[in-house]
Amino acid sequence: SVFSSFFFIALYLGRRDFVDHLDSVDVVDGVIKVDPSDLNGRKVFVYLACAFRYGSDELDVIGLSFRRDIWVQRVQVYPPTGESINKTPMQESLLKKAGEQGYPFSFQMPTNLPCSVSLQPGPNDAGKACGVDFEVKGYIANEADNADEVIEKKDTCRLMIRKIQFAPANNKAGPKADITKQFMMSDKPVHLEASLEKEIYYHGETITVKVKINNETTKVVKKIKVSVEQLTNVVLYSSDTYVKAVCSEEFGETVNASSTLEKSFQITPLLANNKEKRGLSVDGRLKDEDTHLASTTLQGEKEMQGIIVSYKVKVNLMVAGGG
């Protein structure tokens, strides 16, 4: 279990990762320890916030907020409101640690929130990374959410958590795409077909791309370029999509005029090869631990806000010569 504490309050959570199962999300269940002796009539609240951070808190010198809440829920834990809470086994265990001053709280996140994603900072960027994060915060206040009430840092405690998704167990057949390209001064085309053997690839796994080329022209295919692109869709006030190549390789296969080629090419996208790439989406991290390229966002039919990540494989042919 993990906990964060200040003078009169302490947060306890049994874990930091909560799973989005598409049709439901794990309940965020914890306990807050409250010492009521110095509250002076104030109350204790806990909130869970999903926010998009697009600048460091240290830059907040002119009253600008560099954080936009996507979803927030608050509960009063002290004095108890009298509402009955069905305690989870995790909370029962945490209450033993917190003792008589422990109070349970629970949050049920909706299914349309994004997962924890960070945008990789550049080599010279300082402060916290931009991205989507989730924070559990306990605080002492007169009211749950009064913008005019100043809450001192010593009256708050916080823990960052992650919302994550696991790939579905059933890996379907991979996608297939084809294109026919006609050239000027040539009455016959080049036909290209590319396919993947499966739909889901895990972090660090090699991707095999099956390529079929039918070159009916008098030109020569000199090279084949296979790349993987990450598409990051930032959905806040508007919807902006950023495309970054995370892996790109050229293969010196030639396909002469009126010839065919059928071959598989292998590429492996890795974050280790993209460490300098500013703005690349990576899986959210709680501290400075290692992470990966951001996982594809599984959203089903839902509209989502925040950061939505997907990938595509591209095959390009370099064609030269001929009449």
Side-chain angles (χ1 to χ4, degrees):
S1 63
V2 287
F3 79 99
S4 167
S5 69
F6 262 90
F7 299 109
F8 312 121
I9 53 175
L11 274 175
Y12 293 79
L13 289 175
R15 56 186 169 140
R16 304 284 285 272
D17 286 346
F18 296 86
V19 180
D20 175 354
H21 306 276
L22 287 186
D23 56 350
S24 66
V25 185
D26 288 351
V27 172
V28 179
D29 51 346
V31 164
I32 188 165
K33 184 175 181 178
V34 178
D35 178 358
S37 57
D38 286 296
L39 291 180
N40 300 320
R42 292 176 300 166
K43 299 168 184 172
V44 178
F45 302 91
V46 180
Y47 85 15
L48 171 59
C50 167
F52 184 83
R53 183 193 300 281
Y54 45 98
S56 170
D57 288 340
E58 290 79 57
L59 298 175
D60 195 0
V61 289
I62 52 172
L64 288 175
S65 173
F66 289 93
R67 188 182 159 90
R68 184 189 165 199
D69 288 333
I70 297 171
W71 177 85
V72 181
Q73 193 173 68
R74 294 175 172 83
V75 294
Q76 179 181 317
V77 289
Y78 189 87
T81 58
E83 193 177 325
S84 64
I85 294 177
N86 294 322
K87 293 190 279 290
T88 64
M90 179 63 75
Q91 285 171 324
E92 297 280 11
S93 173
L94 294 173
L95 283 166
K96 288 176 186 169
K97 288 190 177 186
E100 291 179 2
Q101 295 179 334
Y103 297 89
F105 62 85
S106 298
F107 296 103
Q108 180 63 69
M109 286 186 263
T111 56
N112 64 342
L113 296 182
C115 287
S116 299
V117 177
S118 295
L119 299 180
Q120 182 167 265
N124 301 318
D125 291 344
K128 291 181 183 173
C130 298
V132 171
D133 62 34
F134 291 80
E135 178 185 68
V136 179
K137 184 167 92 170
Y139 59 100
I140 301 170
N142 290 307
E143 295 178 46
D145 185 24
N146 181 351
D148 297 326
E149 185 174 2
V150 177
I151 299 170
E152 294 185 45
K153 212 165 188 178
K154 69 178 181 63
D155 291 336
T156 66
C157 54
R158 60 184 68 194
L159 284 169
M160 304 307 294
I161 63 171
R162 277 190 303 204
K163 177 172 168 287
I164 60 175
Q165 289 178 327
F166 292 122
N170 54 332
N171 204 341
K172 300 175 186 170
K176 181 163 74 172
D178 61 86
I179 186 172
T180 299
K181 176 80 174 178
Q182 197 92 26
F183 294 95
M184 286 181 68
M185 313 297 291
S186 175
D187 58 346
K188 293 196 172 176
V190 172
H191 184 74
L192 167 65
E193 181 187 288
S195 59
L196 302 178
E197 56 193 351
K198 56 184 182 175
E199 190 179 48
I200 297 167
Y201 292 84
Y202 295 95
H203 296 297
E205 187 178 356
T206 295
I207 299 171
T208 299
V209 185
K210 190 175 181 182
V211 174
K212 291 182 185 177
I213 300 167
N214 183 6
N215 180 13
E216 298 181 35
T217 70
T218 54
K219 299 177 182 292
V220 177
V221 176
K222 291 283 192 185
K223 262 189 294 196
I224 299 167
K225 181 180 173 185
V226 182
S227 54
V228 177
E229 291 182 344
Q230 182 192 76
L231 287 76
T232 298
N233 190 7
V234 179
V235 185
L236 282 171
Y237 303 104
S238 60
S239 181
D240 301 303
T241 300
Y242 304 93
V243 180
K244 293 187 183 293
V246 292
C247 185
S248 183
E249 288 194 40
E250 289 186 356
F251 300 91
E253 313 292 326
T254 57
V255 187
N256 291 320
S258 304
S259 298
T260 62
L261 174 77
E262 188 170 326
K263 189 167 182 178
S264 292
F265 300 94
Q266 294 190 319
I267 53 172
T268 310
L270 294 169
L271 180 58
N273 301 330
N274 292 277
K275 287 288 192 184
E276 305 292 305
K277 212 162 274 183
R278 189 173 190 266
L280 198 66
S281 289
V282 299
D283 277 343
R285 46 189 157 187
L286 296 169
K287 290 189 178 169
D288 293 327
E289 73 245 18
D290 287 340
T291 186
H292 321 273
L293 293 166
S295 303
T296 299
T297 308
L298 306 173
Q299 63 182 112
E301 303 298 312
K302 300 187 296 282
E303 292 286 323
M304 295 178 86
Q305 278 196 305
I307 295 178
I308 300 164
V309 178
S310 60
Y311 291 87
K312 70 178 176 185
V313 174
K314 283 178 75 172
V315 179
N316 294 83
L317 304 182
M318 286 63 159
V319 179

